[in-house]
Amino acid sequence: MPLRSPPYPALPAVMSAIVMTTIAGCGFQLRGAPPVSAALQPLAVECARDVPELLCESVRDQLELGDVELAEASNAAYVMKLSDFQQDRRASAITVQAAAAEYTLRNSVSLELISTDQVPIIGDTRLSSSESYRYDETNVLAKQREEEELQTQLSNRLAQQIIFRLAPLTQARIDTIRDQHQSDSGDQPDNDAPAP
């Protein structure tokens, strides 16, 4: 009696495609496909004192996941600076008893990327991420845990935004930015030059 082929021979391939699409949609980065150009390596990450360690670590983790070589600023070709972190939590919905029914969390940070010869590859850029959650006065501890989880999600999203800002910076793009910077600097009068 001949063996019958399975009724859905392409099912494993379809399931694999669905899983890969889901992973890609979550912002997960597969090892071996770094989004950051090798032209930016080695790269240093400097966080100002007001930037949470959670965000700094999330940025470093995602860079390392993409096989980006990280280094101290003294040994790096480029330095990425994160500063002016701001966090906001405000009621976005009110109950009939005038109590907060929903809160919106919003985190923002400033990003700069500077080369070792002080060329601003990415000028001061503001990035932000926000998320809302429902608040229940009868279950405060659970809501506090939920808010902590949301803060982690917001840090991960900000880190992803930072990576996305680095992604287009190929060597050709960096050379264009450097040439433009040098051209703009050359157009400025030299105030230190002696008068004729």
Side-chain angles (χ1 to χ4, degrees):
M1 180 176 176
L3 294 174
R4 295 172 57 188
S5 59
Y8 304 106
L11 186 59
V14 171
M15 291 303 293
S16 296
I18 291 173
V19 169
M20 294 303 291
T21 302
T22 303
I23 288 175
C26 293
F28 185 82
Q29 297 169 358
L30 294 177
R31 187 172 296 279
V36 178
S37 169
L40 287 176
Q41 302 180 47
L43 176 67
V45 178
E46 289 187 348
C47 295
R49 294 177 62 183
D50 63 342
V51 178
E53 187 63 25
L54 180 65
L55 175 56
C56 293
E57 286 303 316
S58 183
V59 171
R60 292 188 179 102
D61 287 347
Q62 292 201 36
L63 288 169
E64 289 176 349
L65 183 63
D67 291 330
V68 175
E69 180 187 354
L70 299 180
E72 296 296 325
S74 58
N75 298 321
Y78 298 89
V79 178
M80 181 170 64
K81 298 182 178 183
L82 303 178
S83 61
D84 192 21
F85 178 82
Q86 295 181 12
Q87 187 177 79
D88 183 49
R89 176 180 182 265
R90 63 181 62 188
S92 53
I94 306 295
T95 66
V96 292
Q97 290 83 19
E102 185 176 272
Y103 280 99
T104 296
L105 302 175
R106 183 175 183 273
N107 292 354
S108 61
V109 70
S110 290
L111 162 70
E112 286 183 284
L113 182 68
I114 302 171
S115 67
T116 52
D117 54 350
Q118 299 304 304
V119 175
I121 306 301
I122 298 178
D124 190 5
T125 302
R126 195 80 185 157
L127 303 175
S128 64
S129 183
S130 62
E131 185 66 67
S132 297
Y133 69 99
R134 298 193 62 79
Y135 185 77
D136 182 3
E137 291 181 339
T138 63
N139 200 352
V140 175
L141 289 178
K143 289 304 176 182
Q144 286 177 347
R145 286 194 295 270
E146 181 181 359
E147 183 172 334
E148 290 172 0
E149 291 173 2
L150 287 176
Q151 291 292 359
T152 300
Q153 291 178 21
L154 291 176
S155 291
N156 290 337
R157 288 182 193 170
L158 278 177
Q160 288 173 3
Q161 289 187 45
I162 290 167
I163 302 301
F164 292 152
R165 293 288 176 147
L166 300 180
L169 295 173
T170 61
Q171 186 62 59
R173 177 64 181 148
I174 292 171
D175 290 343
T176 300
I177 293 171
R178 177 173 273 107
D179 291 345
Q180 184 63 48
H181 176 76
Q182 291 173 348
S183 175
D184 292 344
S185 298
D187 291 340
Q188 296 175 356
D190 185 2
N191 295 328
D192 296 328

